[in-house]
Amino acid sequence: MKKTLIILFIALGIVSCEDFLNTEPINKISIKQYYTDEEGLTQALAGVYDPLGSDALYGNGMFLRYNGCTDEGYYARSTVVTGVFVNNYDPTNTDINDLWSTCYLGINRANDLIANVDLPQMDDKKRDIILGEALFLRAYYHFLLVTHFENIPLILTPTTGPNDVFVFQTPIKEVYTQILKDMTDAEAKVATSTEFGYSSRVSKTVVEGILARVCLQMAGYPLNDTSKYGEALIWAQKVKTSGEHSLRTTYNTTLTNSAYSQIFIDHAQDKYDVKESMWEIDFLGNRADGNLETGRVGNTNGITMTSAALTSTLGYSYGFIKGTARLYKAYKTGDLRRDWVLTPFTYNGTTGAKVPITTTTGYGRDCAKWRREFEASSPKNKNHGTINFPVLRYADVLLMIAEAENHVNGPTTIAYDALNQVRRRAFGLNITTPSPVADAPAGLSNVTFQQAVEDERFQELCFEGTRHLDLIRWNKYVSTMNSIGNEISTNGGVQAYGGLGGKNTTTRHLVYPIPSKEMSVNKNLIPNKGW
């Protein structure tokens, strides 16, 4: 727990999660004065992590904006007709500019640390761990950029003067090559998840899992480098064979009825399960206790609760994201995930009582994965909270194994086992025991097994920031969005406005435009195709 975990890992000299979160990022005046000792290096590392929790990234943007227009869900405000929420934007869009600038802020901080990592007198093992994390984070920020903007400037040295901003874009393949190099170097340096004991810092298996994700992205559109399926399989299998991770199978029966939902209750209650939830973006405090490392998970993307009288107890939520009827209907009878992912109730604004939703069309249900009623902070802040956001879960790793194995060797026992573990957990069953109800049908072809994996990622990982890039790498984003847009517009009734984003989608929405602010400063940049 963030509020109680204050253990110093003596063997590695790793600060506790709480101490790490409360470490102020360095404010550069003369950069070298901050690298005189281990404490300064740790402060610099906190600064490299810091942009991940910003409003532009996992504090709000990744789940609300950049993944707010998929076949999982839509932005639930009929008056919003422009912006990334509805695929109606241009290079002046503020959200797109913020994504670009925040990632480059993280990259520049990582470059500063990497350039000065050898300055302090300190234990070399501790130094290597910090260097590994910085290398990984530099690569991860580049990964966020290249997947959303494609050809981007590859920045590997500190920005020291005004002329450093006049850089050219690097071809997408070269960017990915450097991402793989940085992450591979990092994998040999960082600590294990067991040594850390919590999920907010990048561990060896996290690097391996994200490397699998990077390779799968490279295997699909736009690079279509199918050799990367084999590499994705190797990295994902390393996570599995480490023995450090497994699916969550237990839960608190007084709070919920499934191990799946317990994962997200733990995110709200500041409890770490490093076996399942491998990498989380950590948030802390209610902004009245001196802690400002807060996020908006469950606030902008939770069950609508706008009663001022109940804000401090149930937690205020705007309900900006509603799930699609397609997602609701994708769950088979007995799948315990559906009524956790999509709210089965509304709140009575006076009493706070939960009023069951009785309609079965699937339209109008809020994203309910992160519920502020479980949030650990008290009293709850209206617009900020402590709920952590998962970047990588072990369920995702298993589904990556299933997908990569199918592409490399076909729908083997290995592929089926990885897929079926996730499906069995969804039904509350023993994950090692075959089930005629939960298991994927035997005898699937490569094509039909791939579709089964895609369907499972849709149901298991919805609203976790993976769907937008999944659809793009499968080269299905435009067709899927057009389809869901027409479906909602035709059948959604009062929710018909939710189809706008899908109907707006064209091939140019496969990539964001280079921000106009950046183009006005750096004349070496050229617009992306279609923009």
Side-chain angles (χ1 to χ4, degrees), residues 37 46 50 65 72 83 120 150 180 206 232 249 261 300 314 318 330 389 391 444 452 472 484 503 509 513 525:
D37 54 25
D50 191 60
R65 303 182 186 103
E72 295 172 343
E150 293 190 1
L180 292 178
V206 166
T249 57
S261 53
T300 58
L314 289 178
Y318 294 89
F389 189 83
V391 183
L444 295 177
I472 287 176
I484 195 68
K503 294 173 70 174
H509 295 107
L525 299 177

Side-chain angles (χ1 to χ4, degrees), residues 196-375:
F196 276 140
Y198 55 90
S199 308
S200 57
R201 286 181 71 174
V202 171
S203 68
K204 185 180 184 70
T205 45
V206 166
V207 177
E208 293 162 353
I210 297 297
L211 271 163
R213 181 179 291 176
V214 170
C215 289
L216 283 180
Q217 205 71 39
M218 296 177 72
Y221 179 87
L223 284 181
N224 297 311
D225 181 358
T226 56
S227 69
K228 289 295 183 285
Y229 283 117
E231 293 183 34
L233 181 59
I234 290 170
W235 288 117
Q237 285 284 19
K238 280 192 171 187
V239 178
K240 181 180 178 181
T241 57
S242 73
E244 293 194 41
H245 303 285
S246 59
L247 291 180
R248 176 85 187 230
T249 57
T250 60
Y251 57 95
N252 184 334
T253 57
T254 64
L255 297 178
T256 189
N257 67 341
S258 74
Y260 181 78
S261 53
Q262 187 68 50
I263 297 167
F264 307 100
I265 293 174
D266 284 353
H267 292 159
Q269 295 188 331
D270 297 339
K271 295 178 180 178
Y272 292 106
D273 174 15
V274 295
K275 288 185 174 296
E276 165 85 36
S277 198
M278 296 171 60
W279 184 23
E280 301 173 12
I281 306 303
D282 231 339
F283 299 103
L284 177 68
N286 62 7
R287 302 183 79 85
D289 56 4
N291 294 308
L292 303 180
E293 295 293 330
T294 53
R296 303 194 69 181
V297 185
N299 172 250
T300 58
N301 63 338
I303 303 172
T304 302
M305 206 302 296
T306 55
S307 169
L310 300 170
T311 295
S312 64
T313 53
L314 289 178
Y316 198 93
S317 179
Y318 294 89
F320 282 144
I321 299 295
K322 289 191 183 296
T324 63
R326 182 178 295 185
L327 176 61
Y328 179 85
K329 294 174 182 177
Y331 295 102
K332 293 169 59 178
T333 300
D335 192 325
L336 300 173
R337 295 174 298 189
R338 188 195 68 185
D339 288 342
W340 185 264
V341 165
L342 299 169
T343 183
F345 62 83
T346 59
Y347 285 113
N348 180 295
T350 302
T351 66
K354 297 176 181 178
V355 182
I357 296 174
T358 57
T359 60
T360 58
T361 63
Y363 287 101
R365 296 180 184 240
D366 293 330
C367 165
K369 223 164 193 178
W370 297 277
R371 305 184 181 188
R372 296 200 71 190
E373 65 177 289
F374 296 105
E375 192 175 312

